[in-house]
């Protein structure tokens, strides 16, 4: 993956792009963020989970779990290229697991402890 934003904020999610330019949000572990396997989380990329949804409104990203519960709702450091990828692919790969920064992401990945979920996403339209 290619880093598309500064990642010095310990514990904060950051946007990435895969080599084929698909949008990814890397989400460090956070106590209040549920990762329930029955919701569609897996240790490998899967088809989009239709019960999930995501909306990018400017720099604010809202991700809803099945049943409409908020899983993530905050500003992220998006770039024009990342937003263009969201528009082009209409899906967002979420990656999470037992890591709190880019520095320990590699260890979590090497140990096979990452969880992935692909959600449909769209850009909010401003008047």
């Amino acid at each position: 993956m290619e880093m598309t934003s500064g990642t010095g904020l310990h514990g904060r999610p950051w946007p990435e792009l895969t080599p084929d330019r698909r949008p990814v949000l890397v989400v460090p572990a956070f106590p209040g963020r549920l990762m329930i396997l029955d919701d569609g989380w897996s240790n490998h990329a899967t088809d989009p989970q239709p019960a999930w949804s995501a909306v990018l409104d400017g720099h604010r990203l809202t991700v809803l779990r099945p049943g409409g519960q908020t899983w993530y709702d905050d500003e992220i450091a998006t770039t024009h290229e990342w937003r263009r990828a969201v528009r082009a692919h209409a899906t967002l790969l979420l990656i999470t697991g037992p890591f709190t920064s880019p520095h320990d992401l590699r260890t979590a990945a090497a140990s096979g402890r990452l969880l992935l979920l692909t959600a449909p996403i769209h850009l909010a339209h401003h008047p």
Side-chain angles (χ1 to χ4, degrees):
M1 283 186 272
E2 171 186 312
M3 295 282 196
T4 60
S5 67
T7 58
L9 299 174
H10 190 75
R12 303 256 320 150
W14 67 90
E16 297 270 358
L17 291 172
T18 62
D20 66 350
R21 317 313 286 167
R22 292 183 182 275
V24 175
L25 187 67
V26 182
V27 185
F30 184 77
R33 224 175 269 129
L34 297 175
M35 275 109 23
I36 301 169
L37 293 179
D38 288 346
D39 281 352
W41 290 99
S42 177
N43 61 358
H44 61 279
T46 62
D47 292 332
Q49 299 295 312
W52 285 75
S53 66
V55 176
L56 183 62
D57 188 354
H59 292 282
R60 182 169 210 86
L61 177 67
T62 302
V63 179
L64 300 177
R65 293 181 53 234
Q69 296 171 307
T70 301
W71 186 79
Y72 181 82
D73 184 22
D74 204 351
E75 302 270 326
I76 59 171
T78 63
T79 62
H80 180 69
E81 183 179 15
W82 197 83
R83 290 187 302 277
R84 190 174 334 134
V86 164
R87 185 178 298 110
H89 296 284
T91 58
L92 175 63
L93 176 62
L94 301 168
I95 299 175
T96 193
F99 61 92
T100 57
S101 74
H103 304 290
D104 54 350
L105 172 61
R106 181 172 287 174
T107 303
S111 68
R113 296 176 15 189
L114 294 181
L115 291 174
L116 297 95
L117 185 136
T118 303
I121 184 172
H122 73 273
L123 295 171
H125 298 289
H126 296 285

